[in-house]
Amino acid sequence: RNCDWSSDVCSSDLPHVLQAIIRAGRAAGVPVVVDPRPGQDYTAYRGATAVTPNRLETMLATGIEVRTIDDAFAAGRKLCDTLDLDHAYVTLDADGIVLVPARGTPQHLPTRRRQVYDITGAGDMVLAMIGVGLASGLDPVTVARLANVAGGLEVEKVGVVPITRDEMRDDLRA
């Protein structure tokens, strides 16, 4: 049926569609990474490989206000436990990313300070880098480091623009 996903017309179908996508991805061995919609109920994302919420989204989903790195660790752990995730990437804007694996030690991966011109597209760039990295078989820590670089390069530009491999390479070398 024809749905307008931005309205309530098919909102009751959305969790079922998301669960079908997650199950299909898992069955095919394809990582399923979710940039969650702001809100409190993340149950539709149960079983995904990873989620990439920012501070506010993390707080809304877990009830834990993310003021410190330890807060992000606790909130990421709660997301992994309640949603049966492999890991959570809690994005912390200028403070980088916290990677919380379902099993193992959480890590804070700081980013370097940048001249911020426009944050538009930064979250999508981080999500894309995490997806590409995991699909390529990179380990989650390397993926988080690359996502920091990609998101950082995006905020140094105005608008939503592609980040090239050469830009990534140059930034990593610097």
Side-chain angles (χ1 to χ4, degrees):
R1 106 183 146 173
N2 188 10
C3 295
D4 176 3
W5 293 105
S6 64
S7 72
D8 291 334
V9 174
C10 295
S11 62
S12 63
D13 294 338
L14 188 57
H16 302 292
V17 172
L18 291 172
Q19 280 298 295
I21 291 168
I22 290 167
R23 282 192 306 274
R26 288 295 200 155
V30 175
V32 179
V33 183
V34 177
D35 184 15
R37 292 171 59 172
Q40 297 176 337
D41 185 7
Y42 280 19
T43 56
Y45 311 130
R46 183 178 313 284
T49 306
V51 293
T52 64
N54 63 28
R55 288 178 199 266
L56 175 62
E57 293 162 342
T58 300
M59 191 272 300
L60 291 172
T62 65
I64 300 170
E65 190 169 351
V66 181
R67 287 188 225 135
T68 67
I69 299 305
D70 286 337
D71 294 341
F73 288 165
R77 176 70 57 219
K78 187 172 182 179
L79 288 169
C80 285
D81 291 347
T82 60
L83 298 176
D84 192 27
L85 304 170
D86 291 353
H87 34 270
Y89 293 89
V90 179
T91 61
L92 303 172
D93 45 74
D95 293 322
I97 294 176
V98 161
L99 168 62
V100 180
R103 287 169 281 299
T105 305
Q107 295 185 51
H108 173 226
L109 299 128
T111 190
R112 69 176 175 81
R113 296 285 174 195
R114 296 181 180 265
Q115 182 64 47
V116 177
Y117 291 102
D118 186 357
I119 63 167
T120 306
D124 293 331
M125 185 58 67
V126 167
L127 174 71
M129 186 84 274
I130 290 170
V132 167
L134 291 176
S136 298
L138 296 175
D139 67 274
V141 173
T142 300
V143 168
R145 286 189 175 115
L146 292 172
N148 265 339
V149 171
L153 288 168
E154 185 71 22
V155 301
E156 290 181 332
K157 299 172 183 263
V158 175
V160 178
V161 296
I163 302 299
T164 68
R165 182 180 309 182
D166 288 340
E167 288 174 293
M168 293 281 298
R169 189 178 301 125
D170 291 346
D171 195 82
L172 288 165
R173 287 182 181 145

